[in-house]
Amino acid sequence: MANRTDPLARSVHGTNPQFLIEKLLRTRIYANPYWKEHCFGLTAETLVEKAMALKYVGGTYGGNKKPAPFMCLVLKMLQIQPEKDIIVEFIKNEDYKYVRLLGAFYLRLVGKAIDIYNYLEPVYCDFRKIHRRLADGSFTVTHVDEFMDELLREDYALDIVLPFLQKRMHLEQQGLLEPRKSLLLDELSDDDDEDEDEEDEKETAKQHHHTTTTATKGDTNTDRDKKGTTNGSEPHRRSRSTSRDRRDRDRDRDRDRDRSKDRDRNRDRDRDGDRSRDRGRDRDRDRGRDRSRSRSRSDSRDRRCRENGDSTRRRRDRSRSRSNSRSRSRSRSPSRSRNRNRNRSRSRSRSRDRRRDRSRRTRSRSRSRSRSSSRDRYSSRHRDRHFDRRRGYYDRDRAGA
C-alpha cells in the first residue's frame, strides 16, 4: 500500500505518474532505507520539512546504483501528486535552494510546456552554488541557473528520461508565449542611464567652471570701469547680466535638446531592434514556408518520377514478355516440327513392326498347320499299319485253329 499511487491522482502524459521513473530505479527506491524511514506516510505539508533538510542534488550513485534522497522525494511527490499552487511556491522559494530545485524538477516531469517556460525561466536569475552528487559518488559544485538550463534543454537528467518539451520558438509562433526578454537588456539600459548622468554631471561642472571664469573677468572689467568714469558703469553691468542670462538659457536649451536627441536615438535604436527582430521572424517564417513548398514540390516530383519509372518499367516488362513469348514461340516451332517428324517416324516404325509381327504370326500359323497335317498323316499311316498287323495275326490264328 505504501508504494501505490494515490487513487485520487490523475494520469500524467497518459500514464501513471510513478511510471515516469523507470521500473528498475523505482524498485531500488522502494528498497532504500531513506524511503522506508523518512518517506512513509508523507503528505504535501510534511514534505516541505524533508525538502528543507536536503543537502545535495543527485540521481543514483555508487556501484550498486543507490538512489539519492532527492530522487526519493521526487518519487514521493509523483505518488501523492500535490497541487499546482504548492509546486509554484516551491519554485518561488528563495530561502531554500534545494526546495526550489525539487519543485522545478517535479514541474519538468509533470507540467505542460507553457507552465514550464513561465515558471522555470525566471529562475535563471538565481546564481547560488549547489552540490551535486555524480554517479561515482563524488560531489561537484554547480549553480541553480545551470541546473535550470539543463532541465529546459536536455532530454536526460539525474538518470531519468525527461518527457518531450516543445521548443519555445514554436510556442512563440503560435502566440502561446511572448518573446523572451533578457535581463541583460535592463542592465545595459541602466548602464546607459548611468553614463548619461555622468556626462550631464561633467557638462554641469564645465558650465560652472565657465561661469566662474566669466564672473572673474566681469569683476576685473568692473574694477577697470570704476577706475575710469562712474557714470556709464550701470548700463554695462545690466548688459552683462542679460548676456549671462541669455547664455545660461541657451545652454539649458542645448542640454534639453541633447537629452531629447539622446532619448530619440535610444527609442530609434529600440525600434530598429524590434524591427530587426520582426524581420528575422518574418524571414524565419518565409524560410519555413519556402521549405514546406520545396518539400511539397520535391515530393510531387518524386511521385511523378516514381510514376514515370513504374510506367516505363511496366512497358519494359511488357516488351520483354512479348519478346520472350515470341522467342519461345520461335523456339517451339522447330521443336514442334521435330516432334512431329519423330512421331511420324515412330508411327511408321510401329506400323512396320506390326506388319512384321503379322507376317511372323501367319508364318508360324502356317508352319503349325503343316506340322499338324503331317502328324495326322503319320498317325493315320501308323494306325493303318498296326491294324493291318493285328488283322494278319488274327487271320493266322484262326487258320491254325
Side-chain angles (χ1 to χ4, degrees):
M1 295 295 291
N3 298 333
R4 292 183 180 179
T5 309
D6 189 1
L8 299 177
R10 299 178 181 178
S11 62
V12 178
H13 302 295
T15 58
N16 191 348
Q18 290 194 76
F19 292 168
L20 296 175
I21 298 176
E22 297 177 358
K23 185 177 180 180
L24 184 61
L25 183 56
R26 275 187 282 128
T27 54
R28 288 173 180 170
I29 292 172
Y30 294 154
N32 192 14
Y34 183 86
W35 173 267
K36 295 178 181 179
E37 295 177 3
H38 300 280
C39 298
F40 181 78
L42 284 180
T43 60
E45 291 79 10
T46 58
L47 183 68
V48 181
E49 298 177 357
K50 300 296 180 182
M52 292 168 61
L54 290 174
K55 296 181 180 179
Y56 62 90
V57 176
T60 57
Y61 62 93
N64 56 357
K65 298 293 182 183
K66 184 178 179 181
F70 183 86
M71 192 56 59
C72 296
L73 293 179
V74 170
L75 182 60
K76 192 64 181 180
M77 292 177 71
L78 292 173
Q79 184 179 352
I80 62 177
Q81 199 176 35
E83 296 180 358
K84 183 178 177 181
D85 297 333
I86 297 174
I87 304 302
V88 173
E89 291 297 328
F90 276 19
I91 297 171
K92 292 182 179 180
N93 189 357
E94 297 180 356
D95 297 331
Y96 298 96
K97 50 190 176 182
Y98 295 107
V99 175
R100 171 176 272 189
L101 297 179
L102 184 65
F105 193 80
Y106 176 77
L107 184 65
R108 177 65 179 85
L109 291 176
V110 177
K112 298 179 180 179
I114 300 172
D115 296 333
I116 290 170
Y117 283 112
N118 287 330
Y119 291 112
L120 295 189
E121 282 184 348
V123 190
Y124 277 134
C125 301
D126 195 350
F127 305 109
R128 289 179 291 180
K129 295 181 180 179
I130 58 173
H131 295 281
R132 182 172 181 174
R133 195 158 196 174
L134 301 178
D136 58 352
S138 60
F139 290 92
T140 58
V141 178
T142 60
H143 299 83
V144 177
D145 58 341
E146 293 179 358
F147 187 76
M148 293 299 159
D149 187 70
E150 183 180 359
L151 293 179
L152 292 175
R153 294 180 181 274
E154 300 296 333
D155 297 330
Y156 191 80
L158 299 181
D159 299 332
I160 292 178
V161 179
L162 300 176
F164 175 74
L165 182 62
Q166 194 173 4
K167 298 295 182 181
R168 183 181 177 84
M169 179 179 66
H170 300 298
L171 296 175
E172 290 179 358
Q173 290 177 358
Q174 295 175 4
L176 300 175
L177 281 178
E178 295 180 357
R180 182 183 172 188
K181 295 181 180 179
S182 179
L183 297 175
L184 296 175
L185 295 175
D186 296 334
E187 293 180 358
L188 292 173
S189 62
D190 294 335
D191 294 335
D192 293 334
D193 294 334
E194 291 178 357
D195 294 335
E196 289 178 357
D197 294 334
E198 290 178 358
E199 290 178 357
D200 294 335
E201 290 177 355
K202 290 179 181 179
E203 288 180 356
T204 53
K206 288 180 181 179
Q207 290 175 359
H208 182 69
H209 180 69
H210 185 69
T211 52
T212 53
T213 54
T214 52
T216 53
K217 288 179 181 179
D219 293 333
T220 54
N221 292 324
T222 51
D223 294 333
R224 291 176 183 175
D225 293 333
K226 285 180 180 179
K227 290 179 180 179
T229 58
T230 58
N231 294 325
S233 61
E234 291 180 359
H236 286 292
R237 290 178 183 175
R238 290 178 183 176
S239 63
R240 289 175 182 173
S241 61
T242 53
S243 63
R244 289 176 185 175
D245 294 333
R246 288 177 182 174
R247 289 176 183 174
D248 294 333
R249 290 175 185 175
D250 294 334
R251 288 173 183 172
D252 295 332
R253 289 176 183 176
D254 294 332
R255 289 177 187 173
D256 296 332
R257 288 177 183 174
D258 294 333
R259 289 178 182 176
S260 63
K261 288 180 181 179
D262 294 332
R263 290 175 184 174
D264 294 333
R265 288 176 183 173
N266 294 326
R267 290 177 183 174
D268 293 333
R269 289 177 184 174
D270 296 333
R271 289 177 183 174
D272 293 334
D274 296 332
R275 289 176 183 174
S276 62
R277 291 175 185 172
D278 296 333
R279 289 175 183 173
R281 291 174 186 170
D282 294 333
R283 289 176 183 173
D284 294 333
R285 291 176 183 174
D286 294 334
R287 288 176 183 173
R289 291 175 183 173
D290 294 334
R291 287 177 183 174
S292 62
R293 290 176 182 174
S294 63
R295 287 177 183 173
S296 62
R297 290 176 182 173
S298 62
D299 294 335
S300 63
R301 289 177 183 174
D302 293 335
R303 290 176 184 173
R304 291 176 183 174
C305 293
R306 289 175 185 173
E307 292 176 356
N308 293 326
D310 295 334
S311 63
T312 53
R313 287 177 184 173
R314 290 174 183 173
R315 291 175 183 174
R316 290 176 183 174
D317 294 334
R318 289 177 183 174
S319 63
R320 287 178 183 174
S321 61
R322 289 177 183 175
S323 63
N324 292 327
S325 62
R326 290 176 183 174
S327 62
R328 287 176 184 173
S329 62
R330 291 176 183 174
S331 62
R332 286 177 183 176
S333 58
S335 63
R336 288 180 182 176
S337 61
R338 290 175 184 174
N339 293 325
R340 288 177 184 175
N341 296 324
R342 288 178 185 175
N343 293 326
R344 288 177 183 175
S345 62
R346 286 178 184 176
S347 62
R348 290 176 182 175
S349 63
R350 286 177 184 175
S351 62
R352 290 176 184 174
D353 294 334
R354 286 176 185 175
R355 289 176 184 176
R356 289 176 183 175
D357 293 334
R358 286 178 184 176
S359 63
R360 287 176 183 176
R361 286 176 185 176
T362 52
R363 289 176 184 176
S364 63
R365 286 178 184 177
S366 62
R367 288 177 183 175
S368 62
R369 285 178 184 177
S370 63
R371 287 177 183 177
S372 62
S373 61
S374 62
R375 285 177 184 176
D376 292 336
R377 290 174 184 176
Y378 179 76
S379 62
S380 62
R381 289 177 183 177
H382 185 70
R383 285 177 188 176
D384 292 336
R385 288 176 183 177
H386 183 68
F387 183 71
D388 291 336
R389 286 176 183 177
R390 289 184 69 181
R391 190 173 180 181
Y393 290 142
Y394 180 71
D395 291 334
R396 287 175 184 177
D397 291 333
R398 192 172 177 182

